Amino acid sequence: MSMEQLVATVVLIGLLGVAVVSDLRRHRIPNLLILVGLALGLAGQTYSGGISGMGDGLMGLLIGFALFLPMYALGGMAAGDVKLMAMVGSFLPPITPCGLCLQSAMGRLVRFPDRAGARSTIADPGTLSVDASGAGLYGPELGGGGR
């Protein structure tokens, strides 16, 4: 892993940590956090890859947003989570948000009964952020196992 990738990964995990704490405490992810993350992600992609790196960052952002938007439309996640995944996409190569979406969708299929007898999901606020920081999820280019 190069120093650029290491710095980007540490920054992303830090931003996701702040988002998780905010989401768990106030049930909201601040827009300022998302904007700072988008700026840092795109700046990092541009620094490491020039104009094509910025294109990769924008493509990752759009893919992350587009893949999670239907879950918001169906009531499966909040708008802040969709924006957060778009931010995560800006840090990653364009194919990685597809893996995040698949993992998130699979996690939403696991359900358990709550106290009222209704079905609720295990994936509560912050779960997507924790999922996105899993080192094995990223391919070899980001230090993961590339499974």
Side-chain angles (χ1 to χ4, degrees), residues 9 15 54 61 66 87 114 140:
T9 302
L15 288 167
M54 179 181 264
L61 183 150
M87 181 198 75
D114 64 8

Side-chain angles (χ1 to χ4, degrees), residues 104-128:
S104 175
M106 296 305 289
R108 298 256 175 206
L109 295 177
V110 179
R111 298 176 175 267
F112 64 95
D114 64 8
R115 283 186 252 157
R119 305 287 282 176
S120 62
T121 64
I122 289 176
D124 280 331
T127 302
L128 292 176

Side-chain angles (χ1 to χ4, degrees), residues 80-106:
D81 296 329
V82 175
K83 293 184 289 186
L84 184 68
M85 290 298 105
M87 181 198 75
V88 169
S90 73
F91 277 87
L92 305 174
I95 193 67
T96 307
C98 297
L100 289 174
C101 185
L102 180 62
Q103 182 184 13
S104 175
M106 296 305 289

Side-chain angles (χ1 to χ4, degrees), residues 2-142:
S2 72
M3 185 57 78
E4 294 165 351
Q5 292 170 335
L6 180 63
V7 169
T9 302
V10 168
V11 168
L12 177 59
I13 290 172
L15 288 167
L16 291 174
V18 172
V20 167
V21 169
S22 174
D23 200 6
L24 290 175
R25 286 189 176 176
R26 289 176 276 172
H27 300 287
R28 136 174 234 289
I29 300 171
N31 287 334
L32 182 60
L33 177 71
I34 301 297
L35 290 174
V36 168
L38 285 172
L40 289 173
L42 292 175
Q45 289 279 20
T46 304
Y47 176 77
S48 65
I51 295 297
S52 70
M54 179 181 264
D56 285 347
L58 288 172
M59 185 63 75
L61 183 150
L62 292 174
I63 290 172
F65 183 77
L67 288 176
F68 287 94
L69 190 60
M71 287 188 222
Y72 167 71
L74 296 173
M77 65 185 345
D81 296 329
V82 175
K83 293 184 289 186
L84 184 68
M85 290 298 105
M87 181 198 75
V88 169
S90 73
F91 277 87
L92 305 174
I95 193 67
T96 307
C98 297
L100 289 174
C101 185
L102 180 62
Q103 182 184 13
S104 175
M106 296 305 289
R108 298 256 175 206
L109 295 177
V110 179
R111 298 176 175 267
F112 64 95
D114 64 8
R115 283 186 252 157
R119 305 287 282 176
S120 62
T121 64
I122 289 176
D124 280 331
T127 302
L128 292 176
S129 300
V130 173
D131 289 347
S133 66
L137 180 64
Y138 307 131
E141 68 276 356
L142 290 178

